[in-house]
Amino acid sequence: MDLNQHLNLSQRQQLSPILLQKIQILNFNQDELIAYLNSKALENPFIEIKLPRTSSELAPVDQDMGWIPDDRKSLRDHLIEQVLLTYRDTLIREMIFWWINQLDQKGYSTKSIEEAVEETKADKTLLLDALVLLQQLEPAGIAARSLQESLMLQTERDHTAPETAYIILEESFQDLVDRRWKLIADRYRISLQEVQSVFDYIKRLDPSPGEQFQSNLDTTIRPDLIVQIKNQNLIIKEAKLNTPVLSFDQDYVSGLNAHSDEEVLSYIKDKKQEYQNLQESLKQRNETILRVGTAIVNRQKAFFFDKTSPLQSLQLSELAEELDLHESTISRTINGKYIQTDFGTYEFKFFLSRKLQNEGADSLSTHSVQQKLQKLIANENKGKPLSDQKLVDLLAEEDITISRRAVTKYRKQLDIPASSKRKRFDS
């Protein structure tokens, strides 16, 4: 009995690192997996990794534009180039360069005039003049010290701006944000429709003028599964081009084996076992993702044929029971994993929605209720937007019984403002 317990304990201790590796690898998204495998390849000289192909490698030879250099400028380089072309080498130009170095990635100044004086020991007027000159450069709205100032700078240079836009931004910005539009209309003796047009114009301005110079290279999503429709059937397959492939350098091993050194042979054996464990972990990861993804797709079939179809209620516990897997395994599987469709790429989590217990009807998913809310609000009279209580009443007419608090919560999740902030005066 004691011996068996000892053996079981030894087996658990021996398997623990492998199980830990399988758990880690299942939890990784594609980018994290690549980084992890690269680190393993550094530790094991016999492991070779074939990484996912880049977009230029996937393109036909006659359309490969990889040879064209990327001449994207940073915001700093873009501004410095303008300064060198526009201003002579004077002290004020040096101060413009100083201000450029104080901009954040959105293009806003991170220093006040007082802080600039303290740091540079330069004259306050000189620093203010340098800042004003910087604010005249492209893009419009650059080097502002607040959102209000950035919008004013953009409006000042836009000849198509509504006549009262600049003065409203300058004197009544908070009233405009808080939609105290009657107060604004009375103050400037204009109509509510004119205030509405100013508000609509300002919404079209860029709140972060510097971000257009930020690289988008890191935002690429690598899907794990691809779902396609063929002959009215859903085809689910692994996105193999996005998955790294491991191999073992047998030629290198053969060269070392020729020495017949026991220490070398033992080292090779250990490294080959590491490789095999890694391959097994990858295989299990891919199989689990495919199993879970297939189960999700089958439960949400209607959506994959028509993305306007509401999602069915689906929870981790239901998937775990269907697939005979632990909920924690399902949770790791859907973490950071994506499904590519003909009409977009969606995270696995998107397809899971808790049940909404609804009196007098079947259980609904929160997603389906949110879709109904969106539709009601999209079709409302913009001159008299629907209050949350009115939305509750309209949903009740469709046998969906939820509280006003729930409606408010779902509306906020959809990033839809309250009825008072949806009201328009040109409807």
Side-chain angles (χ1 to χ4, degrees):
M1 183 68 174
D2 291 340
L3 179 60
N4 287 337
Q5 288 177 342
H6 177 73
L7 287 173
N8 288 336
L9 178 61
S10 298
Q11 288 171 341
R12 285 199 298 271
Q13 289 175 335
Q14 183 179 1
L15 290 174
S16 179
I18 300 174
L19 292 175
L20 179 61
Q21 183 182 76
K22 288 182 177 180
I23 290 171
Q24 283 181 314
I25 285 180
L26 181 60
N27 196 56
F28 290 147
N29 62 29
Q30 290 282 7
D31 291 333
E32 291 168 340
L33 177 62
I34 291 171
Y36 178 78
L37 294 178
N38 277 328
S39 69
K40 288 298 179 183
L42 290 175
E43 298 171 7
N44 190 329
F46 305 109
I47 290 179
E48 294 182 338
I49 304 176
K50 184 179 181 182
L51 297 176
R53 289 184 282 174
T54 63
S55 56
S56 63
E57 290 173 326
L58 292 172
V61 175
D62 59 349
Q63 296 180 19
D64 184 1
M65 300 186 206
W67 56 271
I68 300 177
D70 182 4
D71 58 357
R72 187 202 313 268
K73 292 188 182 73
S74 67
L75 174 62
R76 183 175 180 276
D77 291 342
H78 179 68
L79 293 171
I80 287 176
E81 184 178 273
Q82 293 179 74
V83 173
L84 292 174
L85 290 172
T86 309
Y87 303 115
R88 293 182 295 106
D89 185 7
T90 60
L91 181 57
I92 196 168
R93 190 173 82 168
E94 290 304 311
M95 291 301 98
I96 296 175
F97 288 145
W98 184 86
W99 279 114
I100 289 174
N101 289 328
Q102 313 313 311
L103 303 183
D104 63 18
Q105 66 177 17
K106 292 183 178 181
Y108 285 86
S109 172
T110 59
K111 296 288 175 66
S112 65
I113 289 292
E114 291 71 23
E115 290 171 323
V117 171
E118 177 67 26
E119 189 167 322
T120 65
K121 309 303 180 186
D123 180 73
K124 181 177 181 179
T125 302
L126 176 69
L127 285 165
L128 187 56
D129 288 344
L131 179 61
V132 170
L133 289 175
L134 175 57
Q135 290 174 343
Q136 304 310 306
L137 302 180
E138 295 293 337
I142 206 70
R145 289 157 290 180
S146 67
L147 172 62
Q148 179 185 7
E149 185 177 30
S150 180
L151 297 175
M152 287 170 61
L153 289 168
Q154 294 176 59
T155 302
E156 184 180 35
R157 292 160 61 176
D158 185 0
H159 300 302
T160 68
E163 186 176 348
T164 54
Y166 186 86
I167 193 169
I168 289 175
L169 278 170
E170 184 178 30
E171 299 177 350
S172 306
F173 179 68
Q174 198 56 50
D175 288 333
L176 186 68
V177 170
D178 294 338
R179 286 182 173 257
R180 293 192 284 265
W181 292 4
K182 183 66 167 61
L183 184 65
I184 295 173
D186 292 343
R187 182 178 296 153
Y188 299 104
R189 297 180 181 179
I190 58 178
S191 67
L192 287 170
Q193 286 84 357
E194 288 179 273
V195 180
Q196 176 76 63
S197 68
V198 168
F199 183 77
D200 290 343
Y201 165 76
I202 290 169
K203 282 171 63 178
R204 296 196 298 270
L205 300 179
D206 190 349
S208 305
E211 284 195 335
Q212 60 185 279
F213 294 88
Q214 300 302 313
S215 172
N216 294 321
L217 296 178
D218 296 332
T219 62
T220 303
I221 293 174
R222 300 177 188 271
D224 299 85
L225 298 180
I226 298 172
V227 177
Q228 296 174 320
I229 301 174
K230 290 185 179 179
N231 300 322
Q232 294 304 305
N233 292 314
L234 291 177
I235 308 298
I236 308 166
K237 57 185 180 182
E238 297 177 49
K240 292 187 176 180
L241 289 178
N242 290 331
T243 305
V245 177
L246 296 188
S247 60
F248 196 73
D249 192 345
Q250 196 59 50
D251 291 339
Y252 187 17
V253 170
S254 299
L256 292 176
N257 276 337
H259 297 288
S260 299
D261 184 288
E262 287 188 11
E263 188 174 342
V264 171
L265 293 177
S266 176
Y267 175 79
I268 293 172
K269 182 180 178 181
D270 290 343
K271 293 304 176 183
K272 188 166 187 177
Q273 186 62 54
E274 284 180 14
Y275 162 77
Q276 290 171 341
N277 292 341
L278 202 54
Q279 281 285 41
E280 178 60 31
S281 297
L282 284 172
K283 180 183 177 184
Q284 185 170 317
R285 175 186 187 273
N286 295 338
E287 290 174 350
T288 305
I289 290 174
L290 183 59
R291 281 188 69 199
V292 173
T294 300
I296 289 173
V297 172
N298 287 335
R299 290 290 292 271
Q300 306 291 6
K301 271 187 178 180
F303 177 86
F304 289 94
F305 282 107
D306 179 4
K307 68 176 180 179
T308 63
S309 297
L311 294 177
Q312 300 300 308
S313 171
L314 181 60
Q315 301 175 81
L316 285 178
S317 57
E318 295 175 274
L319 284 173
E321 183 177 355
E322 178 183 336
L323 300 173
D324 194 23
L325 294 171
H326 196 277
E327 280 189 42
S328 63
T329 302
I330 302 292
S331 179
R332 292 187 188 97
T333 305
I334 67 174
N335 180 49
K337 314 303 190 302
Y338 291 84
I339 296 176
Q340 178 182 305
T341 72
D342 292 335
F343 46 81
T345 300
Y346 298 83
E347 191 171 9
F348 277 36
K349 291 179 182 178
F350 172 79
F351 300 101
L352 272 67
S353 179
R354 71 176 181 84
K355 289 180 180 177
L356 175 70
Q357 296 304 322
N358 180 41
E359 298 176 5
D362 295 333
S363 293
L364 299 169
S365 72
T366 56
H367 178 266
S368 64
V369 176
Q370 287 175 335
Q371 280 193 315
K372 290 181 183 295
L373 278 175
Q374 280 183 309
K375 187 175 181 180
L376 287 171
I377 292 172
N379 295 327
E380 70 184 358
N381 179 350
K382 299 305 178 185
K384 295 180 179 180
L386 300 170
S387 67
D388 287 352
Q389 184 56 54
K390 184 60 178 176
L391 289 167
V392 169
D393 298 339
L394 291 173
L395 288 172
E397 292 177 9
E398 299 186 41
D399 293 327
I400 301 173
T401 306
I402 60 174
S403 67
R404 184 190 61 76
R405 185 176 179 181
V407 166
T408 303
K409 174 185 174 183
Y410 296 148
R411 176 176 54 72
K412 288 180 177 178
Q413 287 174 346
L414 294 167
D415 200 24
I416 297 175
S419 58
S420 61
K421 295 191 175 183
R422 300 199 307 271
K423 183 177 176 65
R424 295 186 63 86
F425 296 92
D426 53 2
S427 302

